[in-house]
Amino acid sequence: MYADDVKLFDRVLQDLGHESLQNSLNNLDLWCLDNGMALNVTKCVLMSFKRGTSILDSQYSLRGIPLKRVYSFKDLGVTMTQSFSPLDHMSVITGEARSLLGFIFRTTRDFSSPESVLVLFRALVLLVLEYGSIIWAPFHLYQINLLQSVERRFVRMLSCRMGFKYFEVPVEEIKGQYISSLWF
């Protein structure tokens, strides 16, 4: 339980564990009712986490209402999937980060100092990219490249302000000069 958010989980193997999890759901619902905290059944969802490709298609319910099965959901800002793959989450945050880059560059057209834009990048964009990274930390090269693509885009956009053409920017040189302390 966290504030108004409750997670209930149990290990379910083949036909074993289904009844135990349903009983836990019923007990949680009773406890909430006894303590003046009715669960909103329409917001309750079911998600199975798995290692393989097949899922146990057990149906669970609260107060006789079947729970909706989902395949991903956002929990405290982190997109969770059945396989625990961070790729969906990384796609979401890199999209948000690119959107923030656009906002930064639109609103700082009159800024003359690259350092001012760099401060905004670190304060706004890196915050989005780093949030919850302890949970979804990238370890595959393609995941790291996805995050680094945001950094490269920032370096190119910043370099355009310094007189370079977008595709002629010496990214590594500019990055080493201005952005050597980024976490990528």
Side-chain angles (χ1 to χ4, degrees):
M1 295 182 123
Y2 178 80
D4 65 346
D5 194 17
V6 177
K7 306 283 180 294
L8 182 64
F9 61 93
D10 200 352
R11 187 173 182 185
V12 178
L13 301 170
Q14 291 301 84
D15 294 327
L16 304 172
H18 169 73
E19 289 178 16
S20 172
L21 185 55
Q22 182 62 57
N23 288 335
S24 295
L25 275 168
N26 296 337
N27 290 335
L28 176 67
D29 188 36
L30 287 173
W31 183 90
C32 288
L33 289 172
D34 289 345
N35 289 283
M37 299 186 299
L39 295 173
N40 185 345
V41 180
T42 61
K43 290 185 177 182
C44 294
V45 295
L46 165 69
M47 183 165 167
S48 299
F49 295 98
K50 61 184 174 48
R51 289 186 184 162
T53 56
S54 64
I55 20 177
L56 300 174
D57 198 17
S58 302
Q59 184 58 53
Y60 299 93
S61 62
L62 275 173
R63 292 184 224 132
I65 301 170
L67 295 178
K68 177 184 172 190
R69 183 175 292 276
V70 295
Y71 301 97
S72 71
F73 69 94
K74 201 166 193 174
D75 185 26
L76 300 175
V78 178
T79 303
M80 305 295 290
T81 62
Q82 291 183 314
S83 64
F84 288 113
S85 168
L87 193 55
D88 286 359
H89 177 71
M90 293 174 69
S91 297
V92 169
I93 64 168
T94 54
E96 290 173 10
R98 288 175 191 277
S99 178
L100 281 169
L101 279 182
F103 171 76
I104 289 170
F105 280 97
R106 282 190 310 277
T107 57
T108 62
R109 282 191 178 109
D110 299 328
F111 284 32
S112 58
S113 166
E115 287 81 10
S116 300
V117 180
L118 183 57
V119 167
L120 289 171
F121 176 77
R122 286 185 175 135
L124 299 175
V125 177
L126 282 186
L127 181 71
V128 168
L129 293 176
E130 291 177 341
Y131 177 77
S133 60
I134 193 93
I135 296 168
W136 56 266
F139 57 93
H140 292 294
L141 187 58
Y142 72 91
Q143 296 168 341
I144 294 167
N145 287 339
L146 184 61
L147 293 171
Q148 286 179 334
S149 71
V150 175
E151 177 191 50
R152 283 190 301 275
R153 183 174 179 152
F154 172 75
V155 170
R156 289 182 187 280
M157 292 171 81
L158 183 64
S159 298
C160 288
R161 295 246 175 114
M162 299 164 54
F164 290 95
K165 293 188 183 209
Y166 188 83
F167 289 108
E168 295 174 7
V169 172
V171 174
E172 293 306 316
E173 181 182 323
I174 300 293
K175 185 174 136 184
Q177 186 177 355
Y178 285 96
I179 316 174
S180 58
S181 64
L182 291 182
W183 67 280
F184 299 113

